Amino acid sequence: MKLLVRAMTWEADGVLSVVLTEPDGVPLPAWEPGAHLDLDLGDGLVRQYSLCGDPGDWTRYEVAVLREERSRGGSRYVHETLRPGQLVEVRGPRNHFRLEDAERYVFIAGGIGITPILPMLAAVADSGQPYRLHYGGRRRAGMAFTGALAEYGDAVHLAPQDEVGLLDLDTALGDAGPGTLVYCCGPAPLIDAVVERCPPELLRVERFAAPEREPLPAGAVEVELARSGRTVLVPPDRSILQVLLDEGVEVANDCRDGICGSCETKVIAGEVDHRDHVLTDRERREGATMMVCVSRACGGRLVLDR
């Protein structure tokens, strides 16, 4: 769908929020906290941005984009080229970072990782469940949405690194026990540090970049495409996604690192060697879908809904 860029606002140094609306005023597809949009910025440039507005407002979507010094093109385009009044092709919303029921919540955000946390925080505050947000950034001026966060009072702990140092994760996670869910989004070092300290059954993360991959197993994979009745052979040095694209099979994709979820494909038969950072442990055990950009087969064959 094509949406109109209605407004752009500075939320912090280097962070622009973008409000998107339907040009004809029809209701936008519903979404829940943790969801993101795919923005097609032209010339094959597709990027995912977390929705950070109000899920109850069907008239608008809001995302926020950090100006990355080492941008691969997405943030540079938003900051330098995208302007109110333009139309943008949008896919979604999609959600692989859902807010689940819990007795208590701990939210940990680093930098622009605050964006998917904002609607989660609002939902949990409305529910009456206890929660705490620990939000770190390099400096206060670069930490977005601090004004909006002030309404949560002492439940929010801000930690600008140049003032107080790094987030004290041992304290933040000290009382994360049974009944607690920990949601974390931010740069890889922060997520890795949280992973080291938090039991996996309590932790939900969303990554901006994939950690270093394990070597792929030796051996080719035979992939049957159920819709077309074709079978393709995926050699050990190539991904299923690469082979499908070469064979003319249309598969949405962006990161090719198993973190965005755009290439998610339904699995009809076969056991998957999951190597993504999107699916939960339960979803991996169920084996109903896979990210074909990084995941393989535990055996030598898969049947996919393509």
Side-chain angles (χ1 to χ4, degrees):
M1 59 182 166
K2 284 191 178 292
L3 298 184
L4 178 70
V5 179
R6 181 68 62 181
M8 300 177 72
T9 305
W10 289 107
E11 303 294 349
D13 289 351
V15 179
L16 267 176
S17 65
V18 181
V19 173
L20 301 163
T21 62
E22 220 293 332
D24 298 324
V26 300
L28 291 166
W31 62 282
E32 296 179 349
H36 69 259
L37 295 177
D38 295 347
L39 268 57
D40 187 338
L41 304 176
D43 296 326
L45 191 65
V46 179
R47 293 292 181 265
Q48 289 76 39
Y49 297 109
S50 297
L51 285 160
C52 56
D54 177 8
D57 186 350
W58 55 263
T59 66
R60 52 188 270 161
Y61 289 148
E62 183 177 355
V63 299
V65 182
L66 171 68
R67 175 59 191 263
E68 297 275 6
E69 293 301 321
R70 291 178 289 182
S71 169
R72 295 184 297 140
S75 72
R76 184 184 305 116
Y77 180 90
V78 170
H79 279 254
E80 296 181 3
T81 304
L82 191 67
R83 292 295 179 264
Q86 291 180 227
L87 290 173
V88 179
E89 186 71 33
V90 174
R91 294 196 296 269
R94 266 202 324 274
N95 200 341
H96 292 288
F97 195 42
R98 288 182 174 84
L99 184 65
E100 303 172 29
D101 292 336
E103 297 174 10
R104 181 178 181 274
Y105 296 87
V106 176
F107 299 104
I108 299 176
I112 198 63
I114 190 62
T115 50
I117 301 297
L118 281 175
M120 292 185 179
L121 203 64
V124 171
D126 287 344
S127 75
Q129 297 298 99
Y131 65 94
R132 180 81 167 159
L133 167 66
H134 301 267
Y135 176 24
R138 292 181 180 175
R139 52 195 183 88
R140 190 178 296 271
M143 297 172 67
F145 302 108
T146 53
L149 291 171
E151 68 180 78
Y152 298 104
D154 292 341
V156 171
H157 170 62
L158 300 181
Q161 187 176 339
D162 63 343
E163 298 177 22
V164 299
L166 296 174
L167 279 171
D168 183 352
L169 296 179
D170 292 326
T171 298
L173 296 168
D175 55 353
T180 300
L181 281 181
V182 178
Y183 281 82
C184 179
C185 185
L190 172 65
I191 292 179
D192 292 343
V194 173
V195 168
E196 289 178 2
R197 291 167 170 81
C198 188
E201 65 272 15
L202 306 183
L203 181 60
R204 307 290 184 267
V205 303
E206 183 166 70
R207 292 181 179 269
F208 297 141
E212 186 175 346
R213 295 188 207 165
E214 297 178 3
L216 289 172
V221 176
E222 186 179 80
V223 177
E224 179 183 339
L225 309 176
R227 289 188 221 165
S228 64
R230 299 164 56 195
T231 298
V232 298
L233 192 66
V234 180
D237 61 339
R238 307 199 72 206
S239 70
I240 295 175
L241 173 65
Q242 289 172 323
V243 172
L244 293 182
L245 294 176
D246 286 349
E247 291 290 328
V249 180
E250 292 189 7
V251 184
N253 70 93
D254 176 26
C255 72
R256 302 196 178 192
D257 277 327
I259 59 171
C260 75
S262 60
C263 70
E264 186 172 11
T265 298
K266 184 178 178 180
V267 178
I268 296 174
E271 186 178 356
V272 181
D273 177 9
H274 292 287
R275 292 167 175 264
D276 66 275
H277 302 280
V278 175
L279 298 176
T280 64
D281 288 342
R282 178 180 56 80
E283 289 169 330
R284 291 181 178 188
R285 288 192 300 269
E286 291 172 350
T289 66
M290 69 181 294
M291 306 303 153
V292 292
C293 64
V294 292
S295 297
R296 304 283 288 188
C298 290
R301 190 172 185 276
L302 290 170
V303 181
L304 303 181
D305 183 24
R306 290 287 181 185

PDB file of all heavy atoms in Angstrom, residues 12-39:
ATOM      1  N   ALA A  12      15.005  13.708  18.794  1.00  0.00           N
ATOM      2  CA  ALA A  12      16.278  13.829  19.511  1.00  0.00           C
ATOM      3  C   ALA A  12      17.319  14.156  18.455  1.00  0.00           C
ATOM      4  O   ALA A  12      17.037  14.144  17.244  1.00  0.00           O
ATOM      5  CB  ALA A  12      16.640  12.528  20.233  1.00  0.00           C
ATOM      6  N   ASP A  13      18.537  14.449  18.889  1.00  0.00           N
ATOM      7  CA  ASP A  13      19.607  14.679  17.922  1.00  0.00           C
ATOM      8  C   ASP A  13      19.778  13.434  17.055  1.00  0.00           C
ATOM      9  O   ASP A  13      20.054  12.346  17.566  1.00  0.00           O
ATOM     10  CB  ASP A  13      20.926  14.973  18.637  1.00  0.00           C
ATOM     11  CG  ASP A  13      20.940  16.341  19.297  1.00  0.00           C
ATOM     12  OD1 ASP A  13      20.001  17.125  19.064  1.00  0.00           O
ATOM     13  OD2 ASP A  13      21.898  16.614  20.049  1.00  0.00           O
ATOM     14  N   GLY A  14      19.585  13.582  15.746  1.00  0.00           N
ATOM     15  CA  GLY A  14      19.793  12.468  14.833  1.00  0.00           C
ATOM     16  C   GLY A  14      18.640  11.503  14.721  1.00  0.00           C
ATOM     17  O   GLY A  14      18.769  10.470  14.056  1.00  0.00           O
ATOM     18  N   VAL A  15      17.496  11.801  15.352  1.00  0.00           N
ATOM     19  CA  VAL A  15      16.346  10.894  15.301  1.00  0.00           C
ATOM     20  C   VAL A  15      15.129  11.650  14.765  1.00  0.00           C
ATOM     21  O   VAL A  15      14.669  12.617  15.372  1.00  0.00           O
ATOM     22  CB  VAL A  15      16.010  10.303  16.681  1.00  0.00           C
ATOM     23  CG1 VAL A  15      14.790   9.383  16.576  1.00  0.00           C
ATOM     24  CG2 VAL A  15      17.203   9.541  17.247  1.00  0.00           C
ATOM     25  N   LEU A  16      14.616  11.186  13.614  1.00  0.00           N
ATOM     26  CA  LEU A  16      13.437  11.766  12.992  1.00  0.00           C
ATOM     27  C   LEU A  16      12.265  10.802  13.098  1.00  0.00           C
ATOM     28  O   LEU A  16      12.396   9.627  12.761  1.00  0.00           O
ATOM     29  CB  LEU A  16      13.696  12.040  11.505  1.00  0.00           C
ATOM     30  CG  LEU A  16      14.194  13.409  11.071  1.00  0.00           C
ATOM     31  CD1 LEU A  16      14.460  13.410   9.566  1.00  0.00           C
ATOM     32  CD2 LEU A  16      13.204  14.510  11.431  1.00  0.00           C
ATOM     33  N   SER A  17      11.129  11.288  13.566  1.00  0.00           N
ATOM     34  CA  SER A  17       9.922  10.469  13.503  1.00  0.00           C
ATOM     35  C   SER A  17       9.197  10.790  12.204  1.00  0.00           C
ATOM     36  O   SER A  17       9.259  11.915  11.694  1.00  0.00           O
ATOM     37  CB  SER A  17       9.014  10.710  14.706  1.00  0.00           C
ATOM     38  OG  SER A  17       8.516  12.034  14.700  1.00  0.00           O
ATOM     39  N   VAL A  18       8.517   9.778  11.658  1.00  0.00           N
ATOM     40  CA  VAL A  18       7.795   9.913  10.398  1.00  0.00           C
ATOM     41  C   VAL A  18       6.371   9.431  10.620  1.00  0.00           C
ATOM     42  O   VAL A  18       6.152   8.290  11.041  1.00  0.00           O
ATOM     43  CB  VAL A  18       8.461   9.079   9.280  1.00  0.00           C
ATOM     44  CG1 VAL A  18       7.704   9.241   7.967  1.00  0.00           C
ATOM     45  CG2 VAL A  18       9.928   9.467   9.115  1.00  0.00           C
ATOM     46  N   VAL A  19       5.394  10.287  10.349  1.00  0.00           N
ATOM     47  CA  VAL A  19       3.985   9.929  10.460  1.00  0.00           C
ATOM     48  C   VAL A  19       3.453   9.622   9.065  1.00  0.00           C
ATOM     49  O   VAL A  19       3.580  10.433   8.142  1.00  0.00           O
ATOM     50  CB  VAL A  19       3.169  11.059  11.111  1.00  0.00           C
ATOM     51  CG1 VAL A  19       1.672  10.742  11.063  1.00  0.00           C
ATOM     52  CG2 VAL A  19       3.618  11.284  12.549  1.00  0.00           C
ATOM     53  N   LEU A  20       2.857   8.438   8.914  1.00  0.00           N
ATOM     54  CA  LEU A  20       2.327   7.982   7.632  1.00  0.00           C
ATOM     55  C   LEU A  20       0.817   7.834   7.746  1.00  0.00           C
ATOM     56  O   LEU A  20       0.314   7.283   8.737  1.00  0.00           O
ATOM     57  CB  LEU A  20       2.947   6.631   7.260  1.00  0.00           C
ATOM     58  CG  LEU A  20       4.471   6.613   7.128  1.00  0.00           C
ATOM     59  CD1 LEU A  20       4.990   5.187   7.185  1.00  0.00           C
ATOM     60  CD2 LEU A  20       4.902   7.287   5.831  1.00  0.00           C
ATOM     61  N   THR A  21       0.080   8.303   6.739  1.00  0.00           N
ATOM     62  CA  THR A  21      -1.372   8.200   6.742  1.00  0.00           C
ATOM     63  C   THR A  21      -1.861   7.675   5.401  1.00  0.00           C
ATOM     64  O   THR A  21      -1.150   7.728   4.394  1.00  0.00           O
ATOM     65  CB  THR A  21      -2.032   9.561   7.014  1.00  0.00           C
ATOM     66  OG1 THR A  21      -1.679  10.477   5.965  1.00  0.00           O
ATOM     67  CG2 THR A  21      -1.568  10.139   8.355  1.00  0.00           C
ATOM     68  N   GLU A  22      -3.084   7.188   5.395  1.00  0.00           N
ATOM     69  CA  GLU A  22      -3.711   6.714   4.162  1.00  0.00           C
ATOM     70  C   GLU A  22      -4.235   7.933   3.399  1.00  0.00           C
ATOM     71  O   GLU A  22      -4.985   8.739   3.958  1.00  0.00           O
ATOM     72  CB  GLU A  22      -4.864   5.764   4.510  1.00  0.00           C
ATOM     73  CG  GLU A  22      -5.007   4.560   3.618  1.00  0.00           C
ATOM     74  CD  GLU A  22      -5.406   4.911   2.204  1.00  0.00           C
ATOM     75  OE1 GLU A  22      -6.056   5.947   2.021  1.00  0.00           O
ATOM     76  OE2 GLU A  22      -5.085   4.125   1.297  1.00  0.00           O
ATOM     77  N   PRO A  23      -3.839   8.135   2.133  1.00  0.00           N
ATOM     78  CA  PRO A  23      -4.250   9.350   1.408  1.00  0.00           C
ATOM     79  C   PRO A  23      -5.756   9.539   1.335  1.00  0.00           C
ATOM     80  O   PRO A  23      -6.246  10.675   1.362  1.00  0.00           O
ATOM     81  CB  PRO A  23      -3.648   9.145   0.014  1.00  0.00           C
ATOM     82  CG  PRO A  23      -2.512   8.196   0.214  1.00  0.00           C
ATOM     83  CD  PRO A  23      -2.928   7.297   1.335  1.00  0.00           C
ATOM     84  N   ASP A  24      -6.512   8.448   1.266  1.00  0.00           N
ATOM     85  CA  ASP A  24      -7.964   8.549   1.132  1.00  0.00           C
ATOM     86  C   ASP A  24      -8.703   8.460   2.463  1.00  0.00           C
ATOM     87  O   ASP A  24      -9.935   8.440   2.493  1.00  0.00           O
ATOM     88  CB  ASP A  24      -8.479   7.457   0.186  1.00  0.00           C
ATOM     89  CG  ASP A  24      -7.906   7.600  -1.217  1.00  0.00           C
ATOM     90  OD1 ASP A  24      -7.722   8.758  -1.652  1.00  0.00           O
ATOM     91  OD2 ASP A  24      -7.628   6.571  -1.854  1.00  0.00           O
ATOM     92  N   GLY A  25      -7.964   8.356   3.540  1.00  0.00           N
ATOM     93  CA  GLY A  25      -8.585   8.356   4.853  1.00  0.00           C
ATOM     94  C   GLY A  25      -9.210   7.054   5.294  1.00  0.00           C
ATOM     95  O   GLY A  25      -9.894   7.025   6.321  1.00  0.00           O
ATOM     96  N   VAL A  26      -8.995   5.962   4.556  1.00  0.00           N
ATOM     97  CA  VAL A  26      -9.559   4.679   4.990  1.00  0.00           C
ATOM     98  C   VAL A  26      -8.744   4.147   6.167  1.00  0.00           C
ATOM     99  O   VAL A  26      -7.562   4.485   6.319  1.00  0.00           O
ATOM    100  CB  VAL A  26      -9.566   3.653   3.832  1.00  0.00           C
ATOM    101  CG1 VAL A  26     -10.389   4.165   2.673  1.00  0.00           C
ATOM    102  CG2 VAL A  26      -8.149   3.320   3.385  1.00  0.00           C
ATOM    103  N   PRO A  27      -9.345   3.315   7.019  1.00  0.00           N
ATOM    104  CA  PRO A  27      -8.612   2.806   8.192  1.00  0.00           C
ATOM    105  C   PRO A  27      -7.387   1.998   7.787  1.00  0.00           C
ATOM    106  O   PRO A  27      -7.414   1.218   6.832  1.00  0.00           O
ATOM    107  CB  PRO A  27      -9.650   1.917   8.890  1.00  0.00           C
ATOM    108  CG  PRO A  27     -10.970   2.426   8.432  1.00  0.00           C
ATOM    109  CD  PRO A  27     -10.762   2.895   7.026  1.00  0.00           C
ATOM    110  N   LEU A  28      -6.319   2.185   8.512  1.00  0.00           N
ATOM    111  CA  LEU A  28      -5.093   1.429   8.292  1.00  0.00           C
ATOM    112  C   LEU A  28      -5.207   0.054   8.945  1.00  0.00           C
ATOM    113  O   LEU A  28      -5.956  -0.116   9.914  1.00  0.00           O
ATOM    114  CB  LEU A  28      -3.899   2.178   8.888  1.00  0.00           C
ATOM    115  CG  LEU A  28      -3.515   3.478   8.180  1.00  0.00           C
ATOM    116  CD1 LEU A  28      -2.554   4.286   9.043  1.00  0.00           C
ATOM    117  CD2 LEU A  28      -2.881   3.189   6.813  1.00  0.00           C
ATOM    118  N   PRO A  29      -4.472  -0.944   8.444  1.00  0.00           N
ATOM    119  CA  PRO A  29      -4.480  -2.262   9.090  1.00  0.00           C
ATOM    120  C   PRO A  29      -4.076  -2.165  10.561  1.00  0.00           C
ATOM    121  O   PRO A  29      -3.188  -1.388  10.931  1.00  0.00           O
ATOM    122  CB  PRO A  29      -3.450  -3.057   8.280  1.00  0.00           C
ATOM    123  CG  PRO A  29      -3.459  -2.412   6.929  1.00  0.00           C
ATOM    124  CD  PRO A  29      -3.681  -0.948   7.199  1.00  0.00           C
ATOM    125  N   ALA A  30      -4.732  -2.959  11.396  1.00  0.00           N
ATOM    126  CA  ALA A  30      -4.458  -2.932  12.836  1.00  0.00           C
ATOM    127  C   ALA A  30      -3.067  -3.488  13.131  1.00  0.00           C
ATOM    128  O   ALA A  30      -2.500  -4.256  12.347  1.00  0.00           O
ATOM    129  CB  ALA A  30      -5.511  -3.745  13.575  1.00  0.00           C
ATOM    130  N   TRP A  31      -2.518  -3.084  14.260  1.00  0.00           N
ATOM    131  CA  TRP A  31      -1.223  -3.600  14.691  1.00  0.00           C
ATOM    132  C   TRP A  31      -1.182  -3.667  16.209  1.00  0.00           C
ATOM    133  O   TRP A  31      -2.012  -3.084  16.894  1.00  0.00           O
ATOM    134  CB  TRP A  31      -0.081  -2.738  14.164  1.00  0.00           C
ATOM    135  CG  TRP A  31      -0.080  -1.309  14.633  1.00  0.00           C
ATOM    136  CD1 TRP A  31      -0.860  -0.284  14.178  1.00  0.00           C
ATOM    137  CD2 TRP A  31       0.745  -0.730  15.668  1.00  0.00           C
ATOM    138  NE1 TRP A  31      -0.573   0.886  14.861  1.00  0.00           N
ATOM    139  CE2 TRP A  31       0.414   0.637  15.771  1.00  0.00           C
ATOM    140  CE3 TRP A  31       1.740  -1.256  16.511  1.00  0.00           C
ATOM    141  CZ2 TRP A  31       1.023   1.493  16.673  1.00  0.00           C
ATOM    142  CZ3 TRP A  31       2.360  -0.400  17.421  1.00  0.00           C
ATOM    143  CH2 TRP A  31       2.000   0.957  17.488  1.00  0.00           C
ATOM    144  N   GLU A  32      -0.213  -4.415  16.725  1.00  0.00           N
ATOM    145  CA  GLU A  32      -0.012  -4.559  18.157  1.00  0.00           C
ATOM    146  C   GLU A  32       1.404  -4.151  18.526  1.00  0.00           C
ATOM    147  O   GLU A  32       2.294  -4.143  17.663  1.00  0.00           O
ATOM    148  CB  GLU A  32      -0.268  -6.008  18.579  1.00  0.00           C
ATOM    149  CG  GLU A  32      -1.705  -6.465  18.372  1.00  0.00           C
ATOM    150  CD  GLU A  32      -1.897  -7.919  18.776  1.00  0.00           C
ATOM    151  OE1 GLU A  32      -0.883  -8.615  19.006  1.00  0.00           O
ATOM    152  OE2 GLU A  32      -3.062  -8.350  18.864  1.00  0.00           O
ATOM    153  N   PRO A  33       1.646  -3.816  19.795  1.00  0.00           N
ATOM    154  CA  PRO A  33       3.001  -3.430  20.206  1.00  0.00           C
ATOM    155  C   PRO A  33       4.040  -4.457  19.786  1.00  0.00           C
ATOM    156  O   PRO A  33       3.834  -5.668  19.902  1.00  0.00           O
ATOM    157  CB  PRO A  33       2.885  -3.351  21.734  1.00  0.00           C
ATOM    158  CG  PRO A  33       1.459  -2.975  21.981  1.00  0.00           C
ATOM    159  CD  PRO A  33       0.681  -3.705  20.920  1.00  0.00           C
ATOM    160  N   GLY A  34       5.175  -3.958  19.274  1.00  0.00           N
ATOM    161  CA  GLY A  34       6.247  -4.813  18.791  1.00  0.00           C
ATOM    162  C   GLY A  34       6.278  -4.947  17.290  1.00  0.00           C
ATOM    163  O   GLY A  34       7.263  -5.453  16.728  1.00  0.00           O
ATOM    164  N   ALA A  35       5.227  -4.486  16.600  1.00  0.00           N
ATOM    165  CA  ALA A  35       5.140  -4.635  15.149  1.00  0.00           C
ATOM    166  C   ALA A  35       6.060  -3.647  14.435  1.00  0.00           C
ATOM    167  O   ALA A  35       6.445  -2.609  14.981  1.00  0.00           O
ATOM    168  CB  ALA A  35       3.704  -4.440  14.682  1.00  0.00           C
ATOM    169  N   HIS A  36       6.384  -3.988  13.190  1.00  0.00           N
ATOM    170  CA  HIS A  36       7.166  -3.073  12.368  1.00  0.00           C
ATOM    171  C   HIS A  36       6.596  -3.006  10.959  1.00  0.00           C
ATOM    172  O   HIS A  36       5.780  -3.841  10.550  1.00  0.00           O
ATOM    173  CB  HIS A  36       8.648  -3.469  12.332  1.00  0.00           C
ATOM    174  CG  HIS A  36       8.930  -4.740  11.587  1.00  0.00           C
ATOM    175  ND1 HIS A  36       9.148  -5.935  12.221  1.00  0.00           N
ATOM    176  CD2 HIS A  36       9.033  -5.008  10.269  1.00  0.00           C
ATOM    177  CE1 HIS A  36       9.369  -6.885  11.327  1.00  0.00           C
ATOM    178  NE2 HIS A  36       9.302  -6.351  10.123  1.00  0.00           N
ATOM    179  N   LEU A  37       7.022  -2.007  10.227  1.00  0.00           N
ATOM    180  CA  LEU A  37       6.654  -1.817   8.825  1.00  0.00           C
ATOM    181  C   LEU A  37       7.874  -2.024   7.946  1.00  0.00           C
ATOM    182  O   LEU A  37       9.002  -1.742   8.352  1.00  0.00           O
ATOM    183  CB  LEU A  37       6.141  -0.394   8.587  1.00  0.00           C
ATOM    184  CG  LEU A  37       4.840   0.044   9.255  1.00  0.00           C
ATOM    185  CD1 LEU A  37       4.586   1.514   8.928  1.00  0.00           C
ATOM    186  CD2 LEU A  37       3.672  -0.812   8.822  1.00  0.00           C
ATOM    187  N   ASP A  38       7.633  -2.487   6.717  1.00  0.00           N
ATOM    188  CA  ASP A  38       8.655  -2.481   5.674  1.00  0.00           C
ATOM    189  C   ASP A  38       8.413  -1.234   4.824  1.00  0.00           C
ATOM    190  O   ASP A  38       7.330  -1.084   4.241  1.00  0.00           O
ATOM    191  CB  ASP A  38       8.548  -3.709   4.773  1.00  0.00           C
ATOM    192  CG  ASP A  38       8.839  -5.002   5.507  1.00  0.00           C
ATOM    193  OD1 ASP A  38       9.364  -4.944   6.628  1.00  0.00           O
ATOM    194  OD2 ASP A  38       8.538  -6.067   4.948  1.00  0.00           O
ATOM    195  N   LEU A  39       9.386  -0.363   4.739  1.00  0.00           N
ATOM    196  CA  LEU A  39       9.291   0.820   3.891  1.00  0.00           C
ATOM    197  C   LEU A  39      10.139   0.604   2.648  1.00  0.00           C
ATOM    198  O   LEU A  39      11.346   0.342   2.741  1.00  0.00           O
ATOM    199  CB  LEU A  39       9.779   2.075   4.627  1.00  0.00           C
ATOM    200  CG  LEU A  39       8.725   2.896   5.389  1.00  0.00           C
ATOM    201  CD1 LEU A  39       8.009   2.044   6.421  1.00  0.00           C
ATOM    202  CD2 LEU A  39       9.359   4.117   6.028  1.00  0.00           C
TER     203      LEU A  39
END
